[in-house]
Amino acid sequence: MTSSPITQHSKSVSPKHVLLSGIFSVTSAMRKNSRWSSLPFYMAPKDYSSLGTNMGLRISSPSQVARPVGRTSKEVELMLGFIQLKRSVSDMEDVSQTELPSILAPFFAILRSPLSTGPITSAALTALHNFFLGGLILPTSLRLSAALSELSNTVSQCKFEASDSSGDEVVLLKIMAVIQDCLCGPVGRSLGDVEVCEVLEAVLTTCCQMRLSEILRRSAENTMHALVRTVFGTLRTLDPEVEEAKLNVNGVDDNEGELKMSVQSALISNDESGRASSDNGSQQLTEERKEPPDAPAVPTSHLEYGLPSILELLRVLFNVLDPSDQQHTDSTRLVALGILNAAFEEAGSSISLFPSLKTLVVDTGCKFLFQLARSENLSVLQSALHTISTIFVTMRKHLKLQHELFLAFSIDRLALPVSTTANKSQISTSAAVQRPGTPAGSHNISLEDRVSSPSSKVIAPPARGETRDLILETLGNISGYPSFMVDLYANYDCNVNCENIFERLVDFLTKNIQPATHISSQDPQQKNAQYLCLELLLSFVNDMASRANGDYEYWPSVYPTVQSLLQTKSQKQLVLTGAARFNSKPKSGIAFLEENRLIYTDLSPDISKAQSLAQFLKNCPRIDKTLLGDFISKPDNIEVLKAFIGLFDFKGKPVADAMRELLESFRLPGESQQIARITETFASIYFASDPVEIKNEDAVYVLAYSVIMLNTDLHNPQVRKRMSLEDYQKNLRGVNGGSDFSPEFLQNIYESIRKKEIVMPEEHTGQLGFEYAWKELLLRSKQSGEYMMCNSSLFDIEMFKTVWKPTISAIAHAFISFDDDYIIQKAIVGFRQCATLAGHFQLRDVFDFVVVSLSQATSLLSDAVPAHIPNYLVIDIEGQSVTISKLSVEFGRNFKGQLAAVVLFNIVNGNGNALREGWTQIFEMFQNLFLHSLLPIRMLQMEDFLGGVTMIPLRGNQPNSVPVRNDGGLLSTLSSYLITPYSSTDDVSDATEADIENTLCSIDCIASCRLDEFYSQIIQLEPDALAAAVRALEALAHERTVARLKLQSDDTEPSGSSSYQLPYDPAPVFLLETMVSISCQAPAYIEDLWPIVFEHLSALLSTSSQYSALLIERAVVSLLRLCRILAKNPSLRDQIYVSFDLLAGLPPPIASSVSEQIVAGVKLIAEQHREIISSQTEWNLVVALLRTTVPHPEASKSAYSLISLVILDGPEQNVSPDNFPGLLTLLDDFATLASSLTENQRHKGRRAEPLTSSKFFPFVERGKKSIDLVAHLHRVLLRWNAVTLARSQIWRQLALPLLMTLSRQSTNSAREIRHSAISYLQRILLGPNILPVEIDHSHVEDIFNRVIFPLLDELLKPHVYQRDPHGIPESRLRASALLCKVFMHLEARENNVKSDFRLLWIQILDLLDRLMNIDQDDQLYEAIPESLKNILLVMNAIGILVPPTTGEDLREERQKTLWTATQERMERFLPGFLTEVIPNQMVSTNRQEVS
């Protein structure tokens, strides 16, 4: 109630008037009743003594005055009280000066009187209600506390005669209204604890009366909620220390009679008189009150209410929740749960400030609430879960292990059932023992197992239907704050003694979002569960993303350090593994623990191995207690047993409590010898603590045994006759050092065991097991500390590493499976946040997984991309060619796929550096889009050395036209982003309007993905990401080429096909072009990318004949494009020659088909990077590569241009001894090619075409120019310094090959080339310098033997003659002339008179003989004698060839020999010619000249 109504009434109507109105209403109601109807309106007590005395009269003895007796006197007194009150206040101006108890006394009397009826009581209550509202009862009223104390007692025990049920319930409603006025109004704080307990008990009992109407009970509940909120709201203003001191000083037990509340909902019949009361149908609520019902209550305390009453109310409410208490039904528990929820909502965290309240909540409250959380009554379950969530929200810091228990058990219940049969049996058992209206007993649900062992995974009865939804909703309420998951991880997952609640919760959420079994879309409850789980999961991701963006808290210094917690987390799995191994095989477990430094690391002079091991075994809750008891009691482990028991502190503890503490830490083994070892060790250690009244260790030993036996005897259900105290005392006579224990000592032991059984671990189930497990939980709670709460980001990376994969998978499943727009939007946000977190934590695997998950949702990934591309329909819309394909139509219909694509590329745009494995999916989508003509134009192009930029063809034939469709406005502006460069002339089916519209939707979606922008970002990636992208491309290309070829080859091998060729597939071309384009645009990282790309190119080119021509051509171009990049990197230039060598090894047909590309690429490299080709090996590779292109018409042109450039442009720099042989070889090839083409033409029998024919002219002209370049090379050769080059090197490697080349080409089938070669050869040989140095005799021999003689031998061959029958004779003539001139120039010289060249001369004569006689009609027949004549004359003139004389022969021996040989040889073809040329008369002349 507020004070505003009171103020208003006090201003308009005086309190006196309110009081008189109340008196009038009550007395009027009383006079309507037969008991008071005959009484006069003016009454007074017949007490004449005072009046007579005042008048001076003598009054007779009182015995002479007749007084009404019995019931009539009570009725009169009730009415007289109101009359006297009215008389006493009639003359008062201010009734507030009157003591409040005096004013209210008549009203209280009528309320307490059993004579009152419902209407009278109702009038009295209405009057009291008006007194509160009218300002009569105020905080300033005199003796307010006494009045309120009497009011609370009166109202709580209000009695009246029952009439009709509706009227009676009106009275009860008014009672609650007065109570609410009293407690919730301005005077409420004047009530004491006893008074508050009374009124609360009255209202609470009304709430629980099931025979009352629903409206009344609900009204009572509302009143109770208001009262409780008022009472618990005072906790925010109370001083905890003062209130707790009040409890400690006064003691709750001292006032137990006054403060103790109780609730009874059992129904009983009315008493014989038919009277009714406010607690009608209930037992006396305040049992300890002994005052008569109509006697006024005497206040016992005038202090304001506080903690004592609140504590008592909380105790009563919690006790109502006890499932084992059969007197309370589920309806009563529902009332209590609602009140508790209101109390905790109002008090908030203030409850935890009061230790007494906190202890009650932590123990009793949580214990009963958790048991109700298993109820099969949905109403009870809902209220219990609601209250639990409220308690956790307000007191989570103090409920660490309770919080863990609830979460673990909830997850167990929500988990899908393992065995349907087991579940049915479990449920049926529960139903058999369940009392109607109450939850199942604890032995039917495995909560005690969950409490007792954090490592146990006992399957709880699975929650189904609404139960499942309620638990999930509760989890959502509990987790409704940002640091929820962080707190779980820090408190539980980083605690060895706790479960991995965070991991379990996320695992549960993800598995329920994407269950292993198919969920029918018609199952709304399952869908609802999926939605709830998804909400929880996405909240976790969102909170972590917020912390990553800076919205986090600093880790408090009072908490353990984050590093220590994370270290504990890292060791936790080792501890669990070690415990599991110990439970399986102790020796193996100990070895594992020692190996991983979990034991024996704290060894010191004070700590032994046994103590270190015992410490671990005692503190590790994962150790099997049965196995532990068996292990420590073995003879080999006696030291461990001593160390284990030595860890307990028995100082000051009775022997029963000490044994209880010991036996509850492990399961006592069954073997007597093992029990004896334990009790002996216990006796020794316990006696060392100096216990009271025990004289020696033997006495402790006997007592220990007696405690074990007594516990079994008193609590074993199979024992029918229980041991009495006398029997127990009798059994222990004389065992205390020969004397007896005192009766009180043994009685205390006996009572301790009788009242509370020693429950050994894993010994009991059901309620007893639960009680033991709960006790263990409370014990652990004292050691575990408070629940740490902090929205810190320091754990996020470890948390995210643990759960990212199932989290993303679950989000992806939700995105694909759910149809709700809100869920889809949330899933999209979840994807973005996961990607952001992956980048923030630099977890590339996570980012990849996000990309993979989204890419699978796009439907752009196909299981098998067809090698043969169908002829898709291409239409023209607003001048744009659009391809209608199956993918474009289906993708346009798939709205989720479009969403996924847009989200995917929005995520990867700008985040390419985080991608690794996800590139495969990205490029696989690109490949699929390419094959369906849905990629941007920029990504469809391929660069060429010859034709610039061209489009990658989907098929071999290109169409010429497309059908035109003018549908204005259908194509959006985004659609112009894409065009389709492919079309088909083949007949294809027409597309529907829906197909066209869906295709346009696909185009718009792809435009929104900004693929070209993403593609342009790839070249700006960091090295690792860029290499991953190229590697993904290579893998996809490998799968479409090398892997497919191997598969096809294996399939066709049995049929004998050893040269299988894959058909044209545009996908590998697209992937190759993309791979190379990226690599070329990132030259800074070519060192990382080159090995990846070259591996693929090498695989293609090494089996080039088995792939399509276009693919091999693109591989060649790609390789040379990369070589241009390699040329800029000195460390990779050797790879250029590896590439050249690979290209040079192509099969001739393949080399011919790609020769134009090869030459163009090599030319660009040579022109832009001349310095990279310097060594002889490098030039040999280039030459070998260029030689393969010589036969190609266009390629040879480019190759010749390159050679010309090298030779003619700065010879000092470009031509060197390293490239000289190679250049010479290439020029020789050009000339030889012209010869072959000319000869082939003649052999075909066609009419000889002139050498200037357009068909042959380029080759012949190029061959002639090649001879010119050969001659130029000789001029270059003459410029080189002989000092830097060895004499032999100049001749053998440079000059002689050049002369031999001219010699070979002097027999060329092309006449112009032949004549040019002979001319240049003659010019060089007859020139002043053949070499940069003087030639010697060996050089001359090489000239004749390897240059001139082979030339003449070749010309003399018949097939050579057939090459050009009209021109060869002339060539022979010129060659013979050359022979003679060179001989005269090099050998027939004055300085060479003494040289012996007889063999050479004879060879010359042989050749001249052959030339002269090959055709006597030829010009040679006449020309050779003339040439020979000149030689003879010269030789004679210089004294080389001297004829004999008639007299003394003065010639030298060589002259004689030469003359004789010459004469003999010439006589064969020119008899007498020698003597004719050198006559005898000239002999004397010559002789004289010689002398």
Side-chain angles (χ1 to χ4, degrees), residues 273-346:
S273 62
R275 301 296 176 180
S277 67
S278 64
D279 57 323
N280 205 355
S282 69
Q283 67 178 15
Q284 186 68 25
L285 298 181
T286 310
E287 299 174 356
E288 291 77 6
R289 291 186 176 275
K290 302 302 181 182
E291 297 87 358
D294 55 348
V298 179
T300 59
S301 174
H302 299 291
L303 297 176
E304 293 181 353
Y305 72 88
L307 182 60
S309 56
I310 297 174
L311 179 63
E312 179 63 14
L313 173 61
L314 201 60
R315 181 192 65 79
V316 170
L317 292 174
F318 282 150
N319 288 338
V320 171
L321 302 182
D322 185 0
S324 61
D325 188 351
Q326 301 298 320
Q327 69 173 336
H328 298 301
T329 64
D330 282 351
S331 300
T332 307
R333 295 187 181 95
L334 279 173
V335 174
L337 288 170
I339 297 171
L340 281 172
N341 191 69
F344 280 96
E345 285 180 350
E346 182 66 29

Side-chain angles (χ1 to χ4, degrees), residues 66-67 456 464 590 675 754 932 979 1018 1104 1198 1269 1335:
R67 292 183 176 274
S456 62
R464 303 178 185 274
I590 294 174
I675 297 176
R754 183 185 67 82
H932 293 83
I979 66 172
I1018 296 178
S1104 56
S1198 299
L1269 292 179
I1335 62 174

Side-chain angles (χ1 to χ4, degrees), residues 621-634:
R622 313 297 176 119
I623 297 296
D624 183 88
K625 303 303 182 183
T626 302
L627 184 67
L628 175 60
D630 182 71
F631 175 79
I632 61 176
S633 59
K634 288 184 177 181

Side-chain angles (χ1 to χ4, degrees), residues 793-860:
S793 62
L794 300 177
F795 299 95
D796 284 347
I797 183 171
E798 297 300 328
M799 295 167 60
F800 196 63
K801 282 181 181 179
T802 304
V803 301
W804 64 263
K805 182 170 287 187
T807 298
I808 297 173
S809 297
I811 296 174
H813 178 82
F815 179 81
I816 296 172
S817 304
F818 296 171
D819 298 324
D820 185 77
D821 290 344
Y822 174 76
I823 296 297
I824 294 174
Q825 182 180 2
K826 293 280 287 183
I828 290 174
V829 173
F831 273 127
R832 294 180 184 275
Q833 290 174 337
C834 286
T836 302
L837 291 171
H840 179 70
F841 298 135
Q842 297 182 352
L843 301 175
R844 295 183 175 87
D845 290 345
V846 181
F847 199 88
D848 287 333
F849 198 76
V850 172
V851 171
V852 170
S853 300
L854 279 171
S855 62
Q856 292 172 347
T858 62
S859 74
L860 293 177

Side-chain angles (χ1 to χ4, degrees), residues 477-540:
N477 294 336
I478 293 175
S479 63
Y481 66 101
S483 67
F484 175 72
M485 290 293 193
V486 180
D487 298 340
L488 292 185
Y489 188 80
N491 286 279
Y492 305 130
D493 293 57
C494 294
N495 189 327
V496 175
N497 297 324
C498 297
E499 289 198 46
N500 293 328
I501 295 295
F502 164 73
E503 295 181 16
R504 288 198 62 208
L505 179 58
V506 174
D507 179 69
F508 157 73
L509 295 176
T510 54
K511 287 181 178 178
N512 276 266
I513 294 172
Q514 51 176 58
T517 57
H518 176 70
I519 300 299
S520 173
S521 59
Q522 304 300 323
D523 187 356
Q525 289 185 336
Q526 181 61 39
K527 282 292 184 183
N528 184 54
Q530 288 179 296
Y531 290 154
L532 293 174
C533 291
L534 183 63
E535 286 284 349
L536 288 173
L537 190 66
L538 292 176
S539 297
F540 156 61

Side-chain angles (χ1 to χ4, degrees), residues 304 601 998 1452:
E304 293 181 353
T601 57
N998 288 329
E1452 297 178 358

Side-chain angles (χ1 to χ4, degrees), residues 916-981:
R916 290 298 182 270
E917 300 300 325
W919 285 111
T920 301
Q921 280 69 29
I922 295 290
F923 290 125
E924 192 172 341
M925 287 188 287
F926 282 1
Q927 171 185 266
N928 210 11
L929 292 173
F930 158 73
L931 294 175
H932 293 83
S933 305
L934 291 173
L935 277 183
I937 291 296
R938 177 185 175 188
M939 301 175 66
L940 302 174
Q941 297 171 340
M942 56 183 182
E943 183 178 337
D944 196 275
F945 293 127
L946 303 176
V949 176
T950 58
M951 306 301 295
I952 303 174
L954 288 177
R955 289 171 294 275
N957 57 336
Q958 288 296 323
N960 298 322
S961 61
V962 295
V964 178
R965 178 179 182 271
N966 187 8
D967 192 5
L970 185 59
L971 183 64
S972 69
T973 55
L974 286 176
S975 302
S976 61
Y977 175 86
L978 302 174
I979 66 172
T980 304

